Amino acid sequence: MSINEMPKMASSSVPKWHSSSVTTKIVNNLNPICQATQQLTLKGKFVIIHNQSKSIPGKFISVQIYSGTDVDPETGKGKLSEKAHFKQGESMKHSHDAQTTIYKIKIHVDSNFGSPRAFVIQNKYKKKFFLQSASIETSSNRIIHYDINSWIYPIKKTKSDRLFFSNRCYLPSQTPRALVELRKEELDILRGNGMGERKEWDRIYDYDFYNDLGDPEKGPEHLRPVLGGTKLFPYPRRGRTGRKQSTAGPSSESRPQPMNFGIYVPSDERFAPNKLKELKSNCVHAMVHFLSPKAELLSHRNSANFQSFEELLEMFSSNRSQIIEGWMKDNLKKLIPIAYLKEITIANKENHGQLPIPQIIFENELAWKDDIEFGRQMLAGTHPTRIQCLTTFPPQNKYGIQSSIKKSIIEQKLEGWTLSQAMEQGRIFMLDHHDYLIPYLNRINANGVCAYASRTLLFLRTDGMLKPLAIELSLPGPAPHLELHRVFLPAKQGTQAALWQLAKAHVLANDAVYHQLISHWLCTHAVVEPFIIATKRRLSVMHPIHRLLNPHFKGTMHINALARLIVINSGGILERILFPGEICMQISCDLYKEWRFIDQGLPADLLKRGMAVQDPDMNNPTGIQLLLLDYPYATDGLEIWVAIKEWVKDFCSFFYKDNEDIEGDVELQAWWSEIRTQGHGDKHNDTWWNQMTTLSNLVETLTILVWIASAKHASLNYGQYAYSGYPPNRPTLCRKFVPLEGTVEFGEFLKDPDKFFLKMLPDRFEMSLAVALVNVLSSHTCDEVYLGCQQSPGWIDNEVIQNRFAEFKQELKEIQARIMQRNRDPKLKNRRGPANIEYTLLYPDAASSSASKRGITGRGIPNSISI
């Protein structure tokens, strides 16, 4: 019998029972948890931030169980058991400084109590604790699992008990009568009333504009437009915090202290104890390593440049000072709580390890200069999603202004092909960073940086590698819609080769900006957050689609909130290191105007960029054929995409027998409506949105979401240190234009081209800050859960679904084996290139051992966007 033919799950198939043994895993964030009456066993995977020996007195924690089958006629809800308190706890091994404790408790119920399908827990202790999981064993020895991973706050703060449902899924119309009212009440709580300032312990999900990026209280230069809610500045919504408005700028929300990591996100979206501690530690260690030797330069944006490539390589030396003293300590005190700073200070004194050498220079310090490596990174680097096939020559902008690249110049480099022949065969490609930048360049270049818009043309050689043909750098002309163009051609030596290297640096700066602001931040982090909010507000935790999506949303709202605090805010990291500076997020807004959800799936994206064509072969599950057979991101990604889609299709087919089930799912319809009208409300009138009326539309929507949150984000994020960790390979800004012959700057350039190149790059501080950022972003943390894995083996109470998920996991293992085989194929030259960097970013699993999954691995697809 196929999964599509399986019967619906019965709502009351569990035998009657007299008593239950309840197993719960709790991790106390300040103390190990104490406890227990009899049958509640604590098995924790998450750990506390501060390891202390004292447990929480069990009398402060109580549990009551709801029947999922028998209704209390007085309340209309499932029967509720007596209250039981934890009395003692069994401590487990310490892991990552956290103590895990197992508690057992026995609860006696009437013989007609029925199947336990929910419980409430109350914390009367003064501190929160982290509840990882629970399981209830019935009198017939059946174990009912509860996948929790939530902070439990004191009742003095929350004013209510915390409700959890078991891991069994029900469509709204199939909810057992005993759980109907509980299901409704829980969703009402999560939606809140849209009023008041949110507190740390709240679990309320609501939408807001990006009105917290500016900080007008620091001065008018920190004013930033509100993103979202207007035609001029459309944007996805973020989670509402309800903080007070700034007194200096009434449209701006007040901001918390940077780097105290205390910004509000709903408590269930907060990082687990170890994740938060490890992220803080990674941030500070990176800053100390890369910034402390020149700490006195931190307050001066225009500090000295690196004087040589040898000096630049010293950034990665183990001889750099790693002691937090003097100026650095005084400044970190302003950013980090004193207690935490003491821990980091001790850790730094104990750890003088050398940071890994970025892969781009690991084997060959000059590989980054190679033209073939320049082209290869557009297919297999950290940003392989921008290149497109050129279909019209010469390229032109929306006003009809044509590129100044001449056909005669191009045809000299096509290895015997004419331009028309090469284009007909899909062999001419373009990296386009022109139209979206031109309107902003005058404003950008008035702030001490030197930026062009760019077009780069490339030719597909017979060996499958891309050969650069020409680079066009453009500036706005003296009148509207006029432009000034300069064209640069590849050269192997002499002055022309040095000028070509400068032109490539400007292209790479363009690409770094688009990568960080658009491909990475906007098209993964920002666009997913409204889906998370809608899921928590409209789909019960018992809803199968909630169960499917939840692993792919873990940690995203928290990391996005931290990004608003220190990365994308006024004066934040991106404004400091990227050449658009204060208008970074406005560019992001402009490109959101072009964003369409239906284009975010991999096949649709490849078709849109002309990197693939439709395949009429009905047996091809991708529906497309790649123009480049050696395109590692696309080849590996399509295999991952198909596996995800097949898994999602089988999952949905089990719960929805026909399209009428989808149309009649009130929670699903409310979810989809809210995403379009509120979460992405600035696009609610766009006609490209699918109607949520068919199984195929549901499967495509969910596949796109899982793809974005897992594989797409992994491909764009975890290779950053390998390629951007060495700034000359991917500079984030340029401080000089390419000099014109006959000028003083051209004479300076001729005197020492390498020194001119280094002066053109970001200064010491900007480079160091950029490397510190990608060091943190590229690091996997200890609690990473990878695609095809779940935090709990009992994540869903359905054997058929669990077996199908095991098949999905096995398919991903087989895909990884095929990727590894392709990486060993010498004919697939883009798999390594001149820098000899294997394409491993879409290996589903990070490594064979958990120890090697932490840190900078350059491989592994985490389930969610959590960094």
Side-chain angles (χ1 to χ4, degrees):
M1 181 179 291
S2 72
I3 194 169
N4 293 342
E5 298 167 335
M6 292 300 296
K8 297 285 183 175
M9 296 181 299
S11 61
S12 58
S13 58
V14 181
K16 304 290 184 181
W17 60 296
H18 291 277
S19 65
S20 62
S21 168
V22 184
T23 301
T24 303
K25 181 187 285 185
I26 296 179
V27 179
N28 175 8
N29 94 321
L30 292 177
N31 312 319
I33 299 181
C34 96
Q35 137 144 2
T37 2
Q38 296 146 301
Q39 295 152 293
L40 208 95
T41 305
L42 254 165
K43 296 179 182 177
K45 290 183 181 178
F46 289 88
V47 293
I48 63 171
I49 295 174
H50 299 292
N51 181 23
Q52 297 183 10
S53 58
K54 291 183 179 180
S55 297
I56 297 175
K59 63 183 180 181
F60 291 113
I61 306 172
S62 64
V63 171
Q64 291 178 277
I65 298 176
Y66 274 106
S67 170
T69 51
D70 282 20
V71 178
D72 184 333
E74 293 185 8
T75 64
K77 305 173 186 176
K79 288 183 178 179
L80 187 62
S81 76
E82 64 184 13
K83 185 177 291 187
H85 292 82
F86 297 159
K87 292 182 179 177
Q88 61 184 21
E90 177 186 344
S91 294
M92 300 291 287
K93 66 178 182 179
H94 292 65
S95 175
H96 305 301
D97 297 330
Q99 185 168 350
T100 300
T101 309
I102 296 176
Y103 296 88
K104 294 182 180 179
I105 191 170
K106 242 181 208 179
I107 299 179
H108 298 283
V109 296
D110 297 335
S111 59
N112 63 351
F113 185 81
S115 174
R117 286 295 166 190
F119 72 85
V120 287
I121 186 167
Q122 184 181 101
N123 175 17
K124 287 189 174 181
Y125 192 55
K126 59 185 177 182
K127 297 182 184 296
K128 66 183 178 182
F129 57 83
F130 191 81
L131 182 61
Q132 201 271 333
S133 64
S135 61
I136 299 176
E137 183 179 353
T138 71
S139 58
S140 59
N141 298 321
R142 179 171 185 179
I143 296 176
I144 296 175
H145 294 282
Y146 296 76
D147 208 25
I148 294 173
N149 301 304
S150 297
W151 291 99
I152 309 299
Y153 284 82
I155 188 117
K156 282 188 176 181
K157 295 184 180 297
T158 62
K159 309 301 182 187
S160 63
D161 297 345
R162 182 67 196 277
L163 173 68
F164 293 101
F165 294 102
S166 75
N167 291 354
R168 175 164 288 192
C169 293
Y170 306 96
L171 294 177
S173 62
Q174 298 167 343
T175 309
R177 193 161 63 92
L179 301 179
V180 169
E181 193 61 27
L182 291 173
R183 182 173 185 148
K184 178 180 180 299
E185 287 179 359
E186 180 71 358
L187 284 174
D188 287 343
I189 289 170
L190 294 172
R191 286 194 288 266
N193 61 10
M195 306 291 289
E197 182 175 355
R198 301 275 68 86
K199 304 299 181 185
E200 178 189 344
W201 49 86
D202 286 336
R203 293 191 306 124
I204 296 175
Y205 296 79
D206 208 350
Y207 303 95
D208 208 342
F209 306 123
Y210 279 71
N211 62 352
D212 62 344
L213 302 182
D215 196 355
E217 293 180 12
K218 288 184 177 179
E221 69 275 13
H222 285 279
L223 280 168
R224 296 293 180 270
V226 174
L227 308 187
T230 63
K231 288 185 177 181
L232 185 60
F233 298 118
Y235 219 62
R237 302 300 187 259
R238 64 167 177 91
R240 180 183 177 276
T241 66
R243 291 194 305 268
K244 295 179 180 178
Q245 298 297 300
S246 168
T247 56
S251 62
S252 295
E253 196 171 78
S254 59
R255 293 177 55 78
Q257 180 187 4
M259 287 196 70
N260 68 3
F261 288 73
I263 191 169
Y264 171 77
V265 291
S267 60
D268 284 355
E269 307 306 316
R270 298 186 68 80
F271 293 146
N274 245 18
K275 171 84 172 183
L276 185 58
K277 181 175 182 179
E278 193 170 352
L279 180 59
K280 288 179 179 178
S281 179
N282 288 347
C283 288
V284 175
H285 280 220
M287 287 194 302
V288 169
H289 181 93
F290 290 111
L291 299 177
S292 60
K294 294 294 180 182
E296 70 277 4
L297 300 176
L298 282 173
S299 60
H300 303 290
R301 182 175 173 92
N302 294 314
S303 55
N305 296 83
F306 287 99
Q307 298 301 303
S308 67
F309 289 106
E310 291 74 20
E311 185 183 355
L312 201 158
L313 287 172
E314 290 177 9
M315 292 176 70
F316 310 100
S317 169
S318 59
N319 297 323
R320 292 166 69 90
S321 167
Q322 294 217 354
I323 300 174
I324 307 176
E325 294 295 347
W327 187 97
M328 174 61 79
K329 187 171 184 178
D330 291 340
N331 279 270
L332 287 178
K333 282 180 181 178
K334 301 173 184 176
L335 303 176
I336 299 170
I338 292 297
Y340 182 69
L341 180 57
K342 287 180 180 178
E343 281 192 37
I344 298 301
T345 302
I346 294 170
N348 272 359
K349 288 179 179 178
E350 294 174 350
N351 178 22
H352 292 275
Q354 182 173 350
L355 287 175
I357 302 296
Q359 283 181 281
I360 188 62
I361 55 169
F362 185 77
E363 290 196 13
N364 181 353
E365 292 180 4
L366 298 179
W368 62 276
K369 288 187 172 183
D370 191 293
D371 283 354
I372 297 300
E373 178 63 25
F374 173 66
R376 186 195 75 88
Q377 288 182 31
M378 300 177 198
L379 304 174
T382 193
H383 189 215
T385 60
R386 183 60 181 171
I387 189 170
Q388 59 185 278
C389 185
L390 187 67
T391 57
T392 302
F393 188 89
Q396 63 183 32
N397 66 12
K398 62 183 179 182
Y399 301 109
I401 300 176
Q402 294 186 342
S403 164
S404 58
I405 301 174
K406 302 299 182 185
K407 176 181 177 181
S408 57
I409 296 175
I410 295 297
E411 288 195 322
Q412 296 174 19
K413 303 176 181 299
L414 297 185
E415 301 179 1
W417 296 69
T418 65
L419 180 58
S420 59
Q421 289 172 336
M423 291 181 65
E424 285 174 9
Q425 294 297 313
R427 303 182 77 92
I428 305 296
F429 295 86
M430 178 169 66
L431 186 69
D432 186 6
H433 293 294
H434 181 275
D435 290 4
Y436 71 93
L437 279 175
I438 278 285
Y440 289 103
L441 287 180
N442 285 335
R443 186 173 169 188
I444 289 170
N445 291 334
N447 289 322
V449 296
C450 299
Y452 297 97
S454 65
R455 294 185 181 107
T456 304
L457 299 190
L458 305 101
F459 171 68
L460 177 63
R461 304 191 316 189
T462 54
D463 64 358
M465 304 195 85
L466 293 177
K467 179 177 78 172
L469 298 172
I471 290 172
E472 179 185 63
L473 300 181
S474 304
L475 291 170
H481 311 320
L482 294 181
E483 296 177 11
L484 305 174
H485 302 298
R486 294 181 68 187
V487 176
F488 299 86
L489 303 176
K492 295 294 184 183
Q493 57 187 2
T495 300
Q496 295 306 310
L499 289 171
W500 171 250
Q501 205 65 40
L502 299 183
K504 285 200 297 183
H506 277 279
V507 170
L508 291 164
N510 288 174
D511 200 58
V513 165
Y514 195 97
H515 169 234
Q516 289 293 9
L517 291 180
I518 312 306
S519 300
H520 184 199
W521 165 257
L522 173 64
C523 292
T524 64
H525 285 258
V527 300
V528 165
E529 185 159 350
F531 286 90
I532 300 173
I533 298 170
T535 299
K536 300 306 174 78
R537 285 167 54 88
R538 294 297 173 182
L539 299 181
S540 165
V541 295
M542 289 189 286
H543 198 291
I545 303 306
H546 185 127
R547 184 69 59 177
L548 174 72
L549 290 176
N550 197 51
H552 303 289
F553 292 161
K554 199 69 178 175
T556 303
M557 287 188 71
H558 201 167
I559 200 65
N560 284 3
L562 296 179
R564 300 200 311 273
L565 196 61
I566 60 176
V567 179
I568 63 173
N569 58 300
S570 66
I573 294 175
L574 292 191
E575 286 195 3
R576 295 297 305 270
I577 66 173
L578 299 180
F579 67 76
E582 66 182 34
I583 61 172
C584 277
M585 296 305 290
Q586 287 182 240
I587 291 176
S588 180
C589 259
D590 267 0
L591 287 162
Y592 177 63
K593 295 173 184 177
E594 302 173 6
W595 179 86
R596 299 178 359 138
F597 179 73
I598 59 172
D599 293 336
Q600 304 310 302
L602 182 57
D605 169 60
L606 293 168
L607 288 171
K608 184 177 180 180
R609 291 189 285 121
M611 303 300 286
V613 294
Q614 294 280 1
D615 188 351
D617 184 357
M618 299 299 292
N619 295 319
N620 180 353
T622 68
I624 64 171
Q625 281 187 335
L626 291 173
L627 292 185
L628 289 83
L629 297 180
D630 189 10
Y631 185 178
Y633 163 75
T635 305
D636 299 355
L638 284 171
E639 287 207 56
I640 301 291
W641 168 268
V642 169
I644 292 172
K645 189 166 187 176
E646 288 301 313
W647 152 241
V648 169
K649 181 180 178 181
D650 287 348
F651 182 95
C652 293
S653 298
F654 181 81
F655 291 98
Y656 297 99
K657 66 180 184 294
D658 52 37
N659 292 339
E660 286 70 27
D661 280 353
I662 292 172
E663 291 186 68
D665 185 337
V666 292
E667 287 184 5
L668 183 71
Q669 296 303 324
W671 173 76
W672 189 236
S673 175
E674 188 166 292
I675 287 165
R676 290 175 294 140
T677 60
Q678 294 188 56
H680 285 280
D682 295 331
K683 290 186 166 289
H684 72 279
N685 287 325
D686 290 4
T687 57
W688 48 259
W689 289 102
N690 285 329
Q691 296 299 309
M692 194 56 66
T693 54
T694 65
L695 179 65
S696 61
N697 282 352
L698 175 62
V699 169
E700 184 73 9
T701 296
L702 299 178
T703 304
I704 291 172
L705 275 174
V706 174
W707 164 258
I708 293 172
S710 58
K712 183 177 181 180
H713 179 260
S715 70
L716 293 166
N717 183 69
Y718 293 101
Q720 292 191 78
Y721 189 76
Y723 292 99
S724 305
Y726 186 64
N729 185 59
R730 286 185 69 80
T732 56
L733 59 82
C734 293
R735 294 208 166 275
K736 289 180 178 293
F737 291 114
V738 180
L740 290 165
E741 191 169 354
T743 63
V744 173
E745 282 213 325
F746 195 81
E748 179 188 347
F749 159 74
L750 289 176
K751 186 177 179 182
D752 191 337
D754 280 353
K755 189 172 183 179
F756 188 92
F757 181 88
L758 287 169
K759 281 187 175 182
M760 189 179 77
L761 297 183
D763 62 36
R764 290 176 186 268
F765 170 63
E766 292 155 348
M767 271 199 203
S768 299
L769 187 58
V771 174
L773 175 67
V774 298
N775 175 273
V776 172
L777 295 180
S778 302
S779 297
H780 291 288
T781 54
C782 61
D783 64 348
E784 209 86 87
V785 181
Y786 292 92
L787 191 64
C789 300
Q790 293 283 352
Q791 281 187 317
S792 166
W795 67 279
I796 190 168
D797 185 5
N798 186 280
E799 187 176 354
V800 174
I801 296 296
Q802 288 203 5
N803 290 340
R804 179 59 186 89
F805 187 74
E807 293 174 6
F808 173 53
K809 183 175 184 175
Q810 181 60 34
E811 174 61 17
L812 292 174
K813 287 183 179 180
E814 293 171 7
I815 289 172
Q816 181 157 319
R818 291 195 290 271
I819 295 173
M820 295 172 74
Q821 187 174 11
R822 286 194 288 269
N823 283 343
R824 293 191 293 267
D825 188 342
K827 296 178 182 177
L828 301 176
K829 298 181 182 299
N830 290 318
R831 292 261 158 199
R832 290 182 178 270
N836 197 25
I837 303 175
E838 271 192 310
Y839 191 71
T840 59
L841 291 172
L842 288 176
Y843 279 13
D845 196 16
S848 57
S849 65
S850 59
S852 57
K853 293 183 181 182
R854 294 181 65 184
I856 298 172
T857 67
R859 60 187 65 194
I861 302 175
N863 268 330
S864 64
I865 302 166
S866 62
I867 187 62

